[in-house]
Amino acid sequence: QVQLAESGGGVVEPGGSLSLSCSATPVTYTTYCLGWFRQAPGKTREVVAQITNIGAKLYSDSVKGRFTVSRENGRNTLHMEMTNLKPEDTAVYFCAADLGRRGPIPSDAVLTGPCRFERWGQGILVNVSS
């Protein structure tokens, strides 16, 4: 039911900045966790940042101080401002949503902190090079 779509990826030089956005539909989805994950070549998917259902912002240690996540009030839009990008930030970035469900956990769900991420966007490439 809930669908996610990322935008804003691309290529950027080391030390540069990039902004990602994630829109969630339908717009009635407002109260649960939204987050960003990434998967680098040859690596497993890892959580980057998340906003919990109570508005807490959590970051991976690898991006603290460089990435900033925000959620527009009254809108199902998640943003992540990325600064001082490094080559190791190169990855496919995925937007993810908690649907607020309980019970059986889907095979592709990720439990991290207070969030149960089980809906994923298609992913968008961020390439930090040159």
Side-chain angles (χ1 to χ4, degrees), residues 19-40:
S19 180
L20 301 181
S21 296
C22 171
S23 62
T25 56
V27 296
T28 51
Y29 180 85
T30 59
T31 61
Y32 303 118
C33 296
L34 288 172
W36 290 100
F37 291 72
R38 68 185 181 187
Q39 187 166 17

Side-chain angles (χ1 to χ4, degrees), residues 21-100:
S21 296
C22 171
S23 62
T25 56
V27 296
T28 51
Y29 180 85
T30 59
T31 61
Y32 303 118
C33 296
L34 288 172
W36 290 100
F37 291 72
R38 68 185 181 187
Q39 187 166 17
K43 305 295 183 180
T44 58
R45 188 174 300 185
E46 64 173 345
V47 62
V48 176
Q50 58 192 294
I51 299 180
T52 72
N53 58 323
I54 60 173
K57 299 177 181 180
L58 307 175
Y59 297 92
S60 168
D61 288 341
S62 63
V63 306
K64 284 182 179 178
R66 300 190 298 119
F67 292 9
T68 303
V69 68
S70 62
R71 185 174 186 175
E72 296 183 22
N73 291 336
R75 298 183 62 183
N76 296 331
T77 304
L78 180 71
H79 302 282
M80 186 164 68
E81 300 287 340
M82 303 182 292
T83 63
N84 193 24
L85 285 162
K86 304 175 180 180
E88 52 263 41
D89 294 319
T90 296
V92 175
Y93 284 72
F94 298 87
C95 178
D98 187 331
L99 302 182

